[in-house]
Amino acid sequence: MPTMADVARRAGVSAKTVSNVLSGYPYIRESTRERVMAAVDELGYEINVTARIFRSGRTGVVGLAVPELGQPYFGELADEILEAARRRGLHVLIQPTGFTREGELAALREPRRKLVDGLLFSPAALEQADAHLLDDLGYPLVLLGEQMFSTRVDHVTMQNVEGARAATDLLLDAGRRQIAVIGMLHSPTAGSSNLRFTGYREALAARGITVDPRLLGWADDGWHRGNGARAMADVLDAGVEVDGVVAFNDALALGAMYALQVRGRSIPDDVAVVGFDDIEDAQYSMPALTTVDPGRRDIAEVAVALLHDRLTGAAPAEPVLHVADMRIVERGSTPTRR
Amino acid sequence: MPTMADVARRAGVSAKTVSNVLSGYPYIRESTRERVMAAVDELGYEINVTARIFRSGRTGVVGLAVPELGQPYFGELADEILEAARRRGLHVLIQPTGFTREGELAALREPRRKLVDGLLFSPAALEQADAHLLDDLGYPLVLLGEQMFSTRVDHVTMQNVEGARAATDLLLDAGRRQIAVIGMLHSPTAGSSNLRFTGYREALAARGITVDPRLLGWADDGWHRGNGARAMADVLDAGVEVDGVVAFNDALALGAMYALQVRGRSIPDDVAVVGFDDIEDAQYSMPALTTVDPGRRDIAEVAVALLHDRLTGAAPAEPVLHVADMRIVERGSTPTRR
DNA sequence: ATGAAAGCGCTAACAC
DNA sequence: GTGTTAGCGCTTTCAT
């Protein structure tokens, strides 16, 4: 394998000049650049990225710590993030944390070993009480989601309360009053579940309706379809009438629709359903799912841009908090509005 | 940041001994190991992975080139591969190729730059005619899927023909004779589409049935749900009776079910549907989808093990071809067998 | 079972 | 605009 010194010899220049050419250093005579590139081609030279990384201390790789890619929200988010990174010449090392504390702590340690320059971190197991773990990490970190907050790190998140309130309002506007919630968690974390429940509660309160505990569907084992179906079945089994459902993500909503239809409920006539996330599947369910688009593409783009700016020193001194705009996407699972 | 020399000084040993301890070299006196580990803890030392990589020439990172993670099959496959790699102490750099030739060629070039030690490659745009591109790459490559074949590289794949034949037989056994196919491609590649069509054709031929071209649903724009719905609608619009559907993946099948139900067909009574892949969604559709489980977990495990063995020199000299076993998972979209 | 010396291939810092 | 020098922090090689 030829090295930079071989290229330099062949081109009749120094290794540093070859390095300059290959790094895009601008002040180089055109004739020199051409000579160097010709030598590169003739030798079939490919730069040894590991030597460059070692010497420069920058890998050009950022970590992405998410619970799991099989969940459509994270799979689609990962695609958006990989694309945003690619456009900036960054590679991404994905570390699925499996919803575990150890997995997330391991992801936080990784950049210290210098394999990645910074981290995009979507916590699911760590809690608000662990926020101090994000201080003085020694590398740039961008927090995603709403599991924890810190005034000391960059954070990109979504309008959880507003989204859930808008979803609930949509059902209330359609005259629904027995609105179940799917996706409650017993654990007292500051995560999406609590925020989305707050939106639900606020929407009801604004119309003077109190929360009926029999309408709360619990999904402590994860926001998968199966748990959505189970939680919906639990609510129906409790014997309470239901004419609307706010699910805390689309997978839960699709599972809930399944449970409703198995029990002979018609959607949206008997029960109207709203999800959260706008995953691709939401377009093709039967009926298609009305849902909250949390602005996923914007989240990916802003998060990567922010991390990139931190790495290049282009970001502001103060930590940035970016909240993407949500919007409701109306489809067949809710009645058409007049 | 402390270096290995700092740890060595503190522990009263040489840098090499520290290196030996941290690399798991077995022949080290227990007392020495303890002294070294104590020094590591006291200094809060973390090894500089980039220096290790640079010197050793091995990154411990393998590339995974797949079309996109948003497609559930690839998202779930990626999770399985990441887990199999994690168990072996390997990191994975995912490179979505976006179904493009350039994306796939870029992925093939990446290991030459030494950022990854080897590559797991699931081609979608390259074709059989490009197989020579896989020769003499200078790094270990494991091919996934059936887009291209080569006798010169390791290959892990699935029983495409057998799976599609079994899916078709299941419908034939149920008395269905007007069986549509969803997922035909016009491009003459050696991919899954052609193999699965072969299985379909063989199953029909075994019963003396010829293929009716009006029953072929084309999905050249990708195997997404929307295209499955569109292809199914095209077949129905052609005015031919349909009592069964073999879809070449689950997303197409779910889209086809949507189109069938929109047009008032009952599943499985009017039309029975079988998919391919056994993605998680297949369990929660309405009705739940009968599908071919291609052995995805086995594919991930074997592919990573094979690449790992190549990197450590433990693999056999000859290229390995591993074909995972398929099995049919019967659910509500096909009639119950007596 | 441990140590000493060498050097991987590149870029930072500075010289000219 | 380009060259010189030095050295990043580890592992390899070889010695003991």
Side-chain angles (χ1 to χ4, degrees):
Chain A
M1 277 292 229
T3 72
M4 212 169 246
D6 298 326
V7 175
R9 205 170 306 117
R10 177 141 196 151
V13 297
S14 75
K16 177 64 199 171
T17 298
V18 177
S19 171
N20 283 339
V21 169
L22 297 180
S23 305
Y25 180 72
Y27 306 111
I28 294 182
R29 202 175 306 149
E30 189 51 38
S31 62
T32 308
R33 178 196 313 283
E34 279 165 14
R35 227 149 12 101
V36 168
M37 292 315 294
V40 165
D41 288 346
E42 286 158 26
L43 294 172
Y45 172 74
E46 301 245 17
I47 195 164
N48 184 326
V49 187
T50 63
R52 165 183 279 180
I53 287 171
F54 172 50
R55 182 60 238 235
S56 68
R58 301 243 341 253
T59 65
V61 181
V62 298
L64 171 62
V66 290
E68 67 175 3
L69 298 175
Q71 273 200 252
Y73 177 77
F74 291 113
E76 294 179 21
L77 178 67
D79 269 324
E80 306 266 18
I81 284 175
L82 285 161
E83 171 56 21
R86 196 197 54 73
R87 282 201 302 277
R88 291 174 175 79
L90 291 171
H91 286 277
V92 179
L93 206 63
I94 300 182
Q95 303 175 279
T97 55
F99 295 96
T100 64
R101 190 178 173 86
E102 311 88 76
E104 296 185 355
L105 292 176
L108 286 174
R109 268 196 307 274
E110 205 57 43
R112 294 233 183 79
R113 305 167 14 125
K114 304 287 189 197
L115 198 68
V116 299
D117 294 333
L119 190 64
L120 300 164
F121 180 39
S122 178
L126 293 186
E127 304 170 18
Q128 190 55 46
D130 302 305
H132 66 278
L133 294 173
L134 306 181
D135 298 338
D136 306 318
L137 285 168
Y139 60 83
L141 176 115
V142 174
L143 207 51
L144 300 174
E146 40 286 321
Q147 179 72 6
M148 37 196 309
F149 286 87
S150 164
T151 53
R152 307 178 62 177
V153 298
D154 293 323
H155 195 156
V156 180
T157 184
M158 59 181 68
Q159 296 181 298
N160 281 284
V161 177
E162 296 82 351
R165 193 164 51 210
T168 312
D169 275 334
L170 180 67
L171 298 178
L172 290 167
D173 288 346
R176 308 303 166 106
R177 286 297 177 274
Q178 295 290 114
I179 302 174
V181 146
I182 303 294
M184 299 291 296
L185 300 183
H186 285 98
S187 80
T189 64
S192 323
S193 181
N194 282 336
L195 294 172
R196 293 177 192 179
F197 179 61
T198 299
Y200 167 80
R201 191 162 28 73
E202 287 180 2
L204 293 187
R207 315 227 183 177
I209 306 172
T210 51
V211 172
D212 180 346
R214 295 172 306 167
L215 289 170
L216 305 184
W218 300 83
D220 288 294
D221 295 340
W223 283 1
H224 292 271
R225 283 189 198 213
N227 296 324
R230 208 167 302 128
M232 188 75 246
D234 290 344
V235 170
L236 295 175
D237 287 345
V240 55
E241 280 311 303
V242 174
D243 58 14
V245 171
V246 171
F248 287 164
N249 82 356
D250 287 347
L252 290 169
L254 295 171
M257 295 211 318
Y258 177 77
L260 287 165
Q261 290 174 330
V262 164
R263 285 155 193 255
R265 305 300 204 283
S266 148
I267 300 172
D269 296 339
D270 297 339
V271 184
V273 179
V274 188
F276 206 115
D277 281 351
D278 194 26
I279 63 175
E280 211 191 307
D281 291 3
Q283 300 168 53
Y284 303 110
S285 60
M286 179 73 189
L289 181 65
T290 294
T291 186
V292 178
D293 170 6
R296 185 174 50 238
R297 160 154 280 157
D298 182 47
I299 288 171
E301 182 64 26
V302 170
V304 172
L306 198 48
L307 188 51
H308 183 249
D309 286 352
R310 286 270 170 243
L311 293 172
T312 57
E318 291 299 299
V320 172
L321 173 63
H322 177 87
V323 182
D325 287 335
M326 69 89 196
R327 72 193 179 89
I328 293 269
V329 182
E330 290 191 56
R331 300 201 184 93
S333 68
T334 48
T336 316
R337 295 216 225 196
R338 279 127 313 177
Chain B
M1 279 292 227
T3 73
M4 210 170 247
D6 298 325
V7 176
R9 206 170 306 119
R10 179 143 196 150
V13 297
S14 74
K16 175 64 201 165
T17 298
V18 177
S19 172
N20 281 340
V21 169
L22 297 179
S23 306
Y25 180 73
Y27 306 111
I28 295 183
R29 201 176 305 149
E30 190 49 40
S31 61
T32 307
R33 177 195 313 284
E34 278 164 14
R35 223 145 21 95
V36 168
M37 291 315 293
V40 165
D41 287 346
E42 286 159 26
L43 294 172
Y45 172 74
E46 302 247 15
I47 195 164
N48 184 328
V49 186
T50 63
R52 162 183 280 182
I53 288 171
F54 172 51
R55 185 60 241 238
S56 69
R58 300 239 345 249
T59 65
V61 180
V62 299
L64 171 62
V66 290
E68 68 175 1
L69 298 175
Q71 271 199 251
Y73 176 77
F74 291 113
E76 294 178 23
L77 179 66
D79 270 323
E80 306 266 18
I81 285 176
L82 285 161
E83 171 57 21
R86 195 197 56 73
R87 281 202 303 277
R88 290 173 176 79
L90 290 171
H91 286 276
V92 179
L93 204 64
I94 300 182
Q95 304 174 280
T97 55
F99 295 95
T100 64
R101 191 178 171 85
E102 310 88 74
E104 297 185 355
L105 292 176
L108 286 174
R109 267 196 307 275
E110 205 57 43
R112 294 233 184 79
R113 306 171 8 126
K114 304 286 189 197
L115 199 69
V116 299
D117 293 334
L119 189 63
L120 300 164
F121 180 38
S122 178
L126 293 186
E127 305 169 19
Q128 190 55 45
D130 301 304
H132 65 278
L133 295 173
L134 306 183
D135 298 338
D136 308 317
L137 286 169
Y139 59 84
L141 175 116
V142 175
L143 206 51
L144 302 174
E146 43 286 319
Q147 179 73 5
M148 38 198 306
F149 286 87
S150 165
T151 54
R152 308 177 62 179
V153 298
D154 292 323
H155 195 157
V156 180
T157 185
M158 59 181 69
Q159 296 182 297
N160 281 285
V161 177
E162 296 82 351
R165 193 165 50 211
T168 311
D169 275 335
L170 180 67
L171 298 178
L172 290 167
D173 288 347
R176 308 303 166 105
R177 285 299 176 272
Q178 296 290 114
I179 302 174
V181 145
I182 302 294
M184 299 292 294
L185 300 183
H186 284 97
S187 81
T189 63
S192 324
S193 181
N194 283 336
L195 293 172
R196 293 178 191 177
F197 179 61
T198 299
Y200 166 80
R201 192 162 26 76
E202 287 180 4
L204 293 187
R207 315 226 183 179
I209 305 173
T210 53
V211 172
D212 180 345
R214 294 173 307 166
L215 288 170
L216 305 184
W218 301 83
D220 289 295
D221 295 340
W223 283 1
H224 292 270
R225 283 189 197 214
N227 296 325
R230 207 167 303 129
M232 189 74 246
D234 290 344
V235 171
L236 295 175
D237 287 345
V240 55
E241 279 312 302
V242 175
D243 58 15
V245 171
V246 171
F248 288 163
N249 83 356
D250 288 347
L252 290 169
L254 296 171
M257 295 211 318
Y258 177 79
L260 286 166
Q261 291 174 330
V262 163
R263 284 155 193 253
R265 306 300 204 284
S266 148
I267 300 170
D269 295 340
D270 297 339
V271 184
V273 179
V274 188
F276 206 115
D277 280 352
D278 194 24
I279 63 174
E280 211 191 306
D281 291 3
Q283 300 168 54
Y284 303 110
S285 59
M286 179 73 189
L289 181 65
T290 294
T291 186
V292 178
D293 170 6
R296 185 175 48 239
R297 161 155 279 158
D298 183 47
I299 288 170
E301 182 64 26
V302 170
V304 173
L306 198 48
L307 188 52
H308 184 249
D309 286 352
R310 286 272 169 241
L311 294 172
T312 56
E318 290 300 297
V320 172
L321 173 63
H322 177 87
V323 182
D325 287 335
M326 69 89 198
R327 70 191 180 89
I328 293 270
V329 183
E330 290 192 56
R331 301 203 182 93
S333 69
T334 48
T336 316
R337 295 215 227 198
R338 279 129 313 183

